[in-house]
Amino acid sequence: MTGDELDDEIAALLQRADQRYTKGRRALVAALRAAGQPVTILQILDAADGLAQSSVYRNLAALEEAGVVTRVITNDEFARYELAERLTEHHHHLICSMCGDVFDFSLGARTEASLDKALHRVADDAGFTVEAHRLDLVGTCPRCD
Amino acid sequence: MTGDELDDEIAALLQRADQRYTKGRRALVAALRAAGQPVTILQILDAADGLAQSSVYRNLAALEEAGVVTRVITNDEFARYELAERLTEHHHHLICSMCGDVFDFSLGARTEASLDKALHRVADDAGFTVEAHRLDLVGTCPRCD
DNA sequence: CTGACATTGATAGCCATTCTCATTTAGGAG
DNA sequence: CTCCTAAATGAGAATGGCTATCAATGTCAG
Ligand SMILES: [Mn+2]
Ligand SMILES: [Mn+2]
Ligand SMILES: [Zn+2]
Ligand SMILES: [Zn+2]
């Protein structure tokens, strides 16, 4: 997906949610894109400057609501954000339990498919409606080893 | 694992961590065992009465440190706890995105094994040391549908 | 241009969790 | 059974990531 296509898709998503694609929101998207991995609010504020903390929180919430961005849950106390899978691709996370850093990884199509099948079976048995699955690998990153 | 075996194992884990198996901690373990699913601090306080909130927080931290208990990460703002897998068995979680409730499920040995293999391959490639994996199914529970 | 309304940003408030500390408890030595 | 000492307890204060507020600013249709 080129930068322009991405921007068009984001604009459409925001429009559908009655939200404007403002300067601050563009800056957020750019920061997330540049990071290439889930980042904390503090990291965003450090990287892209001129952003007000309160606006970052509010806009990330707005972007999440519109489906542009996803909040990534980890073990530490800081929320992390990344571009939503609809704008990138389905993937999973390596989480370093020492420094908290989060990296992306993907399973092969074959593994992913059989996992998905197993999960749908589980969900059916439990009477659950599946929205998504989340697979994290928790460990120690090379830098912390 | 019988109740006595469980208690012995817990006592050993606590001893190794220089912690006592006190009345309050026994009450916590009993509450987690009775619940049979990850529970919030509030749920613990409601179920087992006579426990001081501050002690529950402190003791859950101590039990986690000793490896008796695990903090379960979900989407909502409340921490949940369950007995550690070393005292039960490896499993995963169904998370209701409406009410926040969490339920256990297991994959078949075959699926789990091939997943584990794929994950170790990923970890090796990334230079990660694997501690654990976490697989959650997010959706809507029958009660909330 | 002008009104209506969304967005912004500084700041105050919220609340789950953690910290503090005086008091109580419990296990070991004698 | 005492002491003695260190761990544990519990009520309350403090912390800190996040959210709500609201006056000021920006945006766009008419
Ligand atoms: Mn990611
Ligand atoms: Mn569980
Ligand atoms: Zn690390
Ligand atoms: Zn539910």
Side-chain angles (χ1 to χ4, degrees):
Chain A
M1 204 177 234
T2 75
D4 282 354
E5 286 173 344
L6 191 79
D7 249 35
D8 289 350
E9 177 67 15
I10 292 173
L13 286 169
L14 283 170
Q15 186 153 48
R16 200 177 311 161
D18 288 305
Q19 299 284 333
R20 294 179 186 162
Y21 197 5
T22 63
K23 192 165 186 190
R25 290 171 188 175
R26 282 177 197 279
L28 276 179
V29 169
L32 294 183
R33 224 151 97 80
Q37 65 180 219
V39 285
T40 63
I41 273 81
L42 184 58
Q43 289 173 325
I44 292 173
L45 289 171
D46 285 349
D49 69 11
L51 296 183
Q53 191 191 54
S54 60
S55 295
V56 170
Y57 275 108
R58 186 172 353 85
N59 282 329
L60 284 173
L63 290 169
E64 187 184 23
E65 181 68 26
V68 176
V69 139
T70 308
R71 185 199 295 245
V72 178
I73 308 294
T74 64
N75 290 307
D76 64 29
E77 63 223 290
F78 306 102
R80 285 160 201 273
Y81 286 87
E82 66 179 2
L83 290 180
E85 290 192 345
R86 61 155 32 100
L87 300 171
T88 55
E89 56 185 7
H90 176 59
H91 66 275
H92 299 287
H93 291 132
L94 284 153
I95 300 174
C96 177
S97 57
M98 305 293 301
C99 67
D101 234 350
V102 181
F103 306 92
D104 293 346
F105 77 86
S106 297
L107 292 175
R110 186 128 321 117
T111 312
E112 186 74 47
S114 78
L115 180 62
D116 230 48
K117 202 167 128 199
L119 289 178
H120 270 91
R121 207 160 26 230
V122 166
D124 283 350
D125 288 354
F128 255 68
T129 306
V130 181
E131 282 166 22
H133 70 257
R134 192 163 57 199
L135 173 62
D136 301 323
L137 216 153
V138 183
T140 312
C141 79
R143 213 155 48 79
C144 291
D145 246 334
Chain B
M1 203 178 234
T2 74
D4 282 353
E5 286 173 344
L6 190 81
D7 250 35
D8 289 349
E9 178 68 14
I10 292 173
L13 286 169
L14 283 170
Q15 186 153 50
R16 201 177 312 161
D18 288 306
Q19 297 284 333
R20 294 178 186 163
Y21 198 5
T22 63
K23 192 163 186 188
R25 291 172 187 176
R26 284 177 196 278
L28 276 179
V29 169
L32 294 184
R33 223 151 97 80
Q37 66 180 219
V39 285
T40 63
I41 274 79
L42 185 58
Q43 288 173 325
I44 292 172
L45 289 171
D46 285 349
D49 69 12
L51 297 183
Q53 191 192 52
S54 60
S55 296
V56 169
Y57 274 107
R58 186 171 353 84
N59 282 330
L60 284 173
L63 290 169
E64 186 183 24
E65 181 68 28
V68 176
V69 140
T70 307
R71 186 200 295 245
V72 178
I73 309 293
T74 64
N75 290 306
D76 65 28
E77 63 224 291
F78 306 102
R80 286 162 199 272
Y81 286 88
E82 66 180 2
L83 290 179
E85 290 192 344
R86 64 159 23 106
L87 300 171
T88 54
E89 57 185 10
H90 177 60
H91 66 275
H92 300 287
H93 291 132
L94 285 154
I95 300 175
C96 178
S97 58
M98 305 293 302
C99 68
D101 234 349
V102 181
F103 306 92
D104 294 346
F105 77 87
S106 297
L107 292 176
R110 179 116 337 112
T111 312
E112 186 75 48
S114 78
L115 180 62
D116 230 48
K117 204 166 129 200
L119 290 178
H120 270 91
R121 208 160 24 229
V122 166
D124 284 349
D125 288 355
F128 255 69
T129 307
V130 181
E131 282 166 21
H133 70 256
R134 192 163 57 201
L135 173 61
D136 301 323
L137 217 154
V138 183
T140 311
C141 79
R143 213 154 47 80
C144 292
D145 247 334

